[in-house]
Amino acid sequence: MILILLGPPGCGKGTQAQRIQQAYGIVQLSTGDMLRAAVASGSEIGQRAKAIMARGDLVPDEVVIGIIADRIAEADCAKGFILDGFPRTVAQARALDAMLGQKGLTIGHIIEIVVDEQALFDRIEGRAAEAGEARADDNADVLRNRLKTYHDQTAPIIPYYRDKGMLEQIDGMADIDGVTAQIEAILGDSGR
Ligand code: AMP
């Protein structure tokens, strides 16, 4: 099963993806985690991405598309995967469609975690405080930029998928278990 989790930064995509990974045994693919690992390793991609991520802007499409194309070709993705943080632009969504089409794969579910933005802002500020320096991109100015980036560049993928009749929305303001329950209700026993 291929699952896409959508929603603005701080909506809980990562947490939910980890839970689904455990419950369904399909691997979580977080482009944010992969890029942070690249930055930490000092690789060429990491060096390109570092300043962009620190500002809260998007890494160029061709970079993340390449990362995902390589990753989904690996053996542990054969059973399916959860995309967390990808696609983030309509160009990435189109590239994903093409990539999956070539492999004869289809997306099982696309779930948007719908949240209240002010509450989200408060939540991410809290996370930044907890994490200390762990996430350099989680301070208030950067967060504002991340939300703006989401509206300008990522939100257009919502109508892109809705027009294909593929979008399912859930209430992301429920508590963590409540959000998981809504996702599991959509996924049912498929692939578990
Ligand atoms: P995340 O952990 O998903 O919030 O991602 C952290 C940062 O990595 C983002 O603010 C972007 O700078 C970068 N990033 C992650 N995924 C993507 C993507 N699909 N396209 C472009 N940039 C991305």
Side-chain angles (χ1 to χ4, degrees):
M1 175 184 53
I2 298 171
L3 168 66
I4 301 179
L5 292 181
L6 300 177
C11 75
K13 291 188 298 288
T15 303
Q16 296 301 329
Q18 278 169 15
R19 289 180 157 210
I20 303 302
Q21 167 169 268
Q22 288 217 320
Y24 289 81
I26 52 173
V27 61
Q28 171 196 13
L29 305 185
S30 158
T31 40
D33 285 350
M34 294 176 207
L35 288 165
R36 278 184 287 278
V39 170
S41 77
S43 70
E44 200 186 318
I45 286 180
Q47 289 176 32
R48 260 181 96 182
K50 188 173 181 180
I52 299 172
M53 293 172 72
R55 284 197 302 271
D57 289 337
L58 293 185
V59 172
D61 285 334
E62 73 272 14
V63 173
V64 282
I65 290 167
I67 289 176
I68 283 291
D70 289 348
R71 186 65 187 85
I72 66 175
E74 288 178 32
D76 61 343
C77 291
K79 244 190 97 183
F81 46 87
I82 309 155
L83 290 172
D84 156 20
F86 181 94
R88 250 176 163 101
T89 63
V90 171
Q92 291 177 24
R94 291 213 172 95
L96 178 66
D97 284 345
M99 227 183 271
L100 297 178
Q102 273 178 3
K103 292 174 181 282
L105 298 172
T106 51
I107 299 167
H109 295 279
I110 302 171
I111 300 176
E112 181 193 3
I113 303 176
V114 180
V115 290
D116 171 84
E117 296 231 339
Q118 184 57 49
L120 195 84
F121 195 82
D122 297 345
R123 197 191 278 178
I124 304 194
E125 275 199 314
R127 187 166 82 187
E130 264 173 41
E133 303 254 325
R135 284 195 61 166
D137 59 359
D138 266 353
N139 65 53
D141 281 347
V142 172
L143 174 55
R144 254 176 238 114
N145 191 40
R146 275 156 59 81
L147 288 173
K148 183 178 184 309
T149 301
Y150 178 80
H151 282 290
D152 294 350
Q153 297 182 61
T154 304
I157 67 180
I158 303 286
Y160 174 83
Y161 286 131
R162 185 185 290 123
D163 289 350
K164 291 173 179 274
M166 296 171 77
L167 188 71
E168 295 164 281
Q169 292 177 308
I170 60 169
D171 173 16
M173 299 313 291
D175 62 20
I176 293 179
D177 287 343
V179 175
T180 305
Q182 294 175 75
I183 296 174
E184 292 191 344
I186 290 174
L187 302 184
D189 283 333
S190 55
R192 204 202 275 260

Coordinates of all heavy atoms in Angstrom, one line a residue, residues 11-12 16 19 113 123 170-184:
C11 N 1.7 19.6 11.6 CA 0.4 19.0 11.7 C 0.4 17.6 12.2 O -0.6 17.0 12.5 CB -0.3 19.0 10.3 SG 0.3 17.7 9.2
G12 N 1.6 17.0 12.4 CA 1.7 15.7 13.0 C 2.0 14.6 12.0 O 1.9 13.4 12.3
Q16 N 2.4 10.5 12.9 CA 1.4 9.6 12.4 C 2.1 8.6 11.5 O 1.7 7.4 11.5 CB 0.3 10.3 11.7 CG -0.6 11.2 12.6 CD -1.2 10.4 13.8 OE1 -1.5 9.3 13.7 NE2 -1.4 11.1 14.9
R19 N 3.6 5.8 13.4 CA 2.6 4.9 14.0 C 2.1 3.9 12.9 O 1.9 2.8 13.1 CB 1.5 5.7 14.6 CG 1.9 6.4 15.8 CD 0.7 7.1 16.4 NE 0.9 7.3 17.9 CZ 0.0 7.4 18.8 NH1 -1.3 7.4 18.4 NH2 0.2 7.6 20.0
I113 N -4.1 16.0 6.7 CA -4.4 16.2 8.1 C -4.7 17.7 8.2 O -3.8 18.5 8.1 CB -3.1 15.8 8.9 CG1 -2.8 14.3 8.7 CG2 -3.4 16.1 10.4 CD1 -1.5 13.9 9.4
R123 N 2.0 25.0 18.5 CA 2.5 23.6 18.7 C 3.9 23.5 18.2 O 4.8 23.0 18.9 CB 1.6 22.7 17.9 CG 1.8 21.2 18.2 CD 1.1 20.3 17.2 NE -0.3 20.2 17.4 CZ -1.1 19.5 16.6 NH1 -0.6 18.9 15.5 NH2 -2.4 19.3 16.8
I170 N -8.9 14.5 7.2 CA -9.2 14.1 8.5 C -8.9 15.3 9.4 O -8.2 16.3 9.1 CB -8.4 12.9 9.0 CG1 -6.9 13.2 9.0 CG2 -8.7 11.7 8.2 CD1 -6.1 12.2 9.7
D171 N -9.5 15.3 10.7 CA -9.4 16.4 11.6 C -8.1 16.2 12.4 O -7.9 15.3 13.3 CB -10.6 16.3 12.6 CG -10.4 17.3 13.7 OD1 -9.6 18.2 13.6 OD2 -11.2 17.2 14.7
G172 N -7.1 17.1 12.1 CA -5.8 17.0 12.7 C -5.8 17.7 14.1 O -4.7 17.7 14.7
M173 N -6.9 18.2 14.5 CA -6.9 18.9 15.8 C -7.3 17.9 16.9 O -7.3 18.3 18.1 CB -7.8 20.1 15.8 CG -7.4 21.2 14.8 SD -5.7 21.6 14.9 CE -5.6 22.4 16.5
A174 N -7.7 16.7 16.6 CA -7.9 15.7 17.6 C -6.6 15.4 18.2 O -5.5 15.8 17.8 CB -8.5 14.5 16.9
D175 N -6.6 14.6 19.4 CA -5.4 14.2 20.0 C -4.7 13.2 19.1 O -5.3 12.7 18.2 CB -5.6 13.8 21.5 CG -6.4 12.6 21.6 OD1 -6.6 11.8 20.6 OD2 -7.0 12.3 22.7
I176 N -3.4 12.9 19.5 CA -2.6 12.0 18.6 C -3.3 10.7 18.3 O -3.4 10.2 17.2 CB -1.2 11.8 19.2 CG1 -0.5 13.1 19.2 CG2 -0.4 10.7 18.4 CD1 0.9 13.0 19.8
D177 N -3.9 10.1 19.4 CA -4.6 8.8 19.2 C -5.8 8.9 18.3 O -6.1 8.1 17.5 CB -5.0 8.2 20.6 CG -3.8 7.7 21.4 OD1 -2.8 7.4 20.8 OD2 -4.0 7.5 22.6
G178 N -6.5 10.1 18.5 CA -7.7 10.4 17.7 C -7.3 10.5 16.2 O -8.1 10.0 15.4
V179 N -6.2 11.1 15.9 CA -5.8 11.3 14.5 C -5.4 9.9 14.0 O -5.8 9.5 12.8 CB -4.6 12.3 14.4 CG1 -4.1 12.3 13.0 CG2 -5.1 13.7 14.9
T180 N -4.7 9.1 14.8 CA -4.3 7.8 14.3 C -5.6 7.0 14.0 O -5.6 6.3 13.0 CB -3.5 7.1 15.4 OG1 -2.4 7.9 15.7 CG2 -3.0 5.7 14.9
A181 N -6.6 7.1 14.9 CA -7.8 6.3 14.7 C -8.5 6.7 13.4 O -9.0 5.8 12.7 CB -8.7 6.5 15.9
Q182 N -8.5 7.9 13.1 CA -9.1 8.4 11.8 C -8.3 7.8 10.6 O -8.9 7.4 9.6 CB -9.1 9.9 11.7 CG -10.0 10.6 12.7 CD -9.9 12.1 12.6 OE1 -10.4 12.7 11.7 NE2 -9.2 12.7 13.5
I183 N -7.0 7.8 10.7 CA -6.2 7.3 9.6 C -6.5 5.8 9.4 O -6.7 5.2 8.3 CB -4.7 7.5 9.8 CG1 -4.5 9.0 9.8 CG2 -3.9 6.8 8.7 CD1 -3.0 9.4 10.1
E184 N -6.5 5.1 10.6 CA -6.7 3.6 10.5 C -8.1 3.3 10.0 O -8.3 2.3 9.3 CB -6.5 3.0 11.9 CG -5.0 3.1 12.3 CD -4.6 2.3 13.5 OE1 -5.4 1.9 14.3 OE2 -3.3 2.1 13.6

